[in-house]
């Protein structure tokens, strides 16, 4: 397993978060095989299929997984066995014909723009360094549609406030150049001038853009906390996280006429099919407007 993890980290260049997810999935698989005294080199297609079925059922000490999580684990096992067979570590690929269960396609939950505006207004107090950081973080997440991991991994030098651009490193260490809206740029400027200089001396020195109260890089968990607190102050009842702002970013762009392939580039999706789920949201909006506005639609 270690050789495979090295392969996806070094040769395929997958992110540390993705490699960690593969590691968790494969530990679960190896543990399942060991409990049944199945050697990885000798497992059969039926064994892999039984493991896939067990993911949705759960066990005493291992909780059942939802459709998306179970499908991800099966994909991890399939790619692991494909690698092992290709490298001659196993005689066959027993997972080749085992398919993950179909995942119900759920529409992403986007906030109305009014709720996003309220969230931003309640994100932070301009009188404190942490407040300036929080306001800049929320403005940035909504203004760019970046993943939370991409935001907290940013360095100061990645942001060009004069050109109104930011260089973001996404999945597979692929970089993309994104435009910065003026409101996000203004919030970042205020944080860089009055917020970050107050936080940085508390730590040991780091190029990271967003810092915590100890002057260390802000974690993903802390970023979630920033949004939860802002949502509470704004009186929002919907569950709000960084991905909510990413969904809202994409949905609002498409609702206002943006081309789906442009949105794909901004989001950093490898395939336009991933982005097209957001077009389902806009079609639903059109259908609702039609149903309430056309005299012959009721």
């Amino acid at each position: 397993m270690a050789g495979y993890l090295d392969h996806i980290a070094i040769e395929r260049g997958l992110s540390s978060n993705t490699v960690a997810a593969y590691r968790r999935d494969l530990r679960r698989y190896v543990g399942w095989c060991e409990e049944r005294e199945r050697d990885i080199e000798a497992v059969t297609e039926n064994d892999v299929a039984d493991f896939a079925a067990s993911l949705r059922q759960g066990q005493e000490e291992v909780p059942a997984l939802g459709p998306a999580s179970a499908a991800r684990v099966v994909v991890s096992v399939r790619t692991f066995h494909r690698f092992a067979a290709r490298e001659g570590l196993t005689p066959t690929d027993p997972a080749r014909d085992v398919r993950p269960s179909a995942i119900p396609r759920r529409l992403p939950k986007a906030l109305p723009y009014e709720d996003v505006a309220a969230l931003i207004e309640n994100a932070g107090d301009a009188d404190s360094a942490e407040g300036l950081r929080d306001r800049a973080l929320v403005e940035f997440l909504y203004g760019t549609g970046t993943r939370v991991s991409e935001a907290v991994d940013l360095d100061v030098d990645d942001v060009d406030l004069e050109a109104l651009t930011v260089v973001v490193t996404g999945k597979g260490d692929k970089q993309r150049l994104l435009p910065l809206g003026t409101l996000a740029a203004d919030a970042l400027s205020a944080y860089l001038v009055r917020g970050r200089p107050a936080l940085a001396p508390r730590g040991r020195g780091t190029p990271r853009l967003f810092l915590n109260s100890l002057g260390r890089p802000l974690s993903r968990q802390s970023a979630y906390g920033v949004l939860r607190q802002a949502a509470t102050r704004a009186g929002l009842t919907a569950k709000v996280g960084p991905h909510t702002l990413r969904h809202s970013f994409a949905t609002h762009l498409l609702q206002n006429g943006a081309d789906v392939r442009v949105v794909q580039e901004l989001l950093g999706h490898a395939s336009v099919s991933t982005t097209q789920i957001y077009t389902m949201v806009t079609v639903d909006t059109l259908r609702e407007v039609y149903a309430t506005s056309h005299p012959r639609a009721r």
Side-chain angles (χ1 to χ4, degrees), residues 61-234:
E61 298 181 357
V62 184
L65 298 180
S69 297
R72 188 203 66 232
V73 175
V74 173
V75 170
S76 297
V77 172
R78 279 169 51 85
T79 55
F80 166 67
H81 273 296
R82 187 185 307 129
F83 168 82
R86 187 175 66 243
E87 296 296 312
L89 304 175
T90 57
T92 61
D93 178 0
R96 183 182 59 186
D97 296 323
V98 178
R99 296 285 183 269
S101 302
I103 304 172
R105 202 166 195 189
R106 295 179 297 175
L107 294 179
K109 294 181 180 179
L111 295 173
Y113 175 71
E114 294 75 15
D115 287 355
V116 174
L119 188 73
I120 293 171
E121 287 300 317
N122 288 274
D125 184 353
D127 294 330
S128 69
E130 289 84 357
L132 289 166
R133 177 206 61 205
D134 295 349
R135 177 68 173 264
L137 176 65
V138 179
E139 281 276 21
F140 180 82
L141 287 170
Y142 176 65
T144 60
T146 49
R147 303 173 179 90
V148 64
S149 57
E150 295 170 342
V152 298
D153 285 345
L154 282 174
D155 288 345
V156 173
D157 290 344
D158 292 328
V159 179
D160 188 337
L161 292 178
E162 290 187 6
L164 293 180
T165 57
V166 58
V167 177
V168 172
T169 303
K171 292 184 176 180
D173 288 332
K174 294 180 180 179
Q175 291 189 327
R176 62 190 191 277
L177 183 68
L178 300 179
L180 269 179
T182 54
L183 293 177
D186 288 346
L188 283 171
S189 178
Y191 165 63
L192 286 169
V193 172
R194 295 186 286 121
R196 193 178 185 281
L199 298 174
R202 304 174 190 175
R204 297 181 178 179
T206 172
R208 286 288 186 261
L209 173 63
F210 294 109
L211 304 180
N212 63 21
S213 59
L214 298 177
R216 299 169 183 168
L218 191 73
S219 67
R220 289 187 299 166
Q221 292 77 13
S222 295
Y224 274 91
V226 168
L227 286 166
R228 282 195 296 268
Q229 292 171 16
T232 299
R233 289 193 291 266

Side-chain angles (χ1 to χ4, degrees), residues 16-34:
S16 57
N17 291 332
T18 302
V19 174
Y22 273 96
R23 182 181 292 107
R24 287 193 300 270
D25 295 343
L26 292 177
R27 280 177 177 168
R28 181 165 183 156
Y29 176 57
V30 170
W32 185 90
C33 290
E34 288 176 346

Side-chain angles (χ1 to χ4, degrees), residues 223-291:
Y224 274 91
V226 168
L227 286 166
R228 282 195 296 268
Q229 292 171 16
T232 299
R233 289 193 291 266
L236 302 183
T237 57
K239 186 177 181 181
V240 177
H243 232 64
T244 310
L245 292 182
R246 183 169 162 85
H247 294 325
S248 302
F249 166 85
T251 302
H252 296 166
L253 280 174
L254 291 167
Q255 286 176 341
N256 286 285
D259 183 88
V260 67
R261 291 197 177 274
V262 173
V263 178
Q264 174 195 357
E265 290 294 328
L266 292 172
L267 292 174
H269 285 161
S271 170
V272 73
S273 63
T274 308
T275 316
Q276 283 174 334
I277 189 172
Y278 293 103
T279 65
M280 299 170 65
V281 179
T282 59
V283 168
D284 283 350
T285 302
L286 291 173
R287 188 178 293 114
E288 180 180 347
V289 172
Y290 172 79

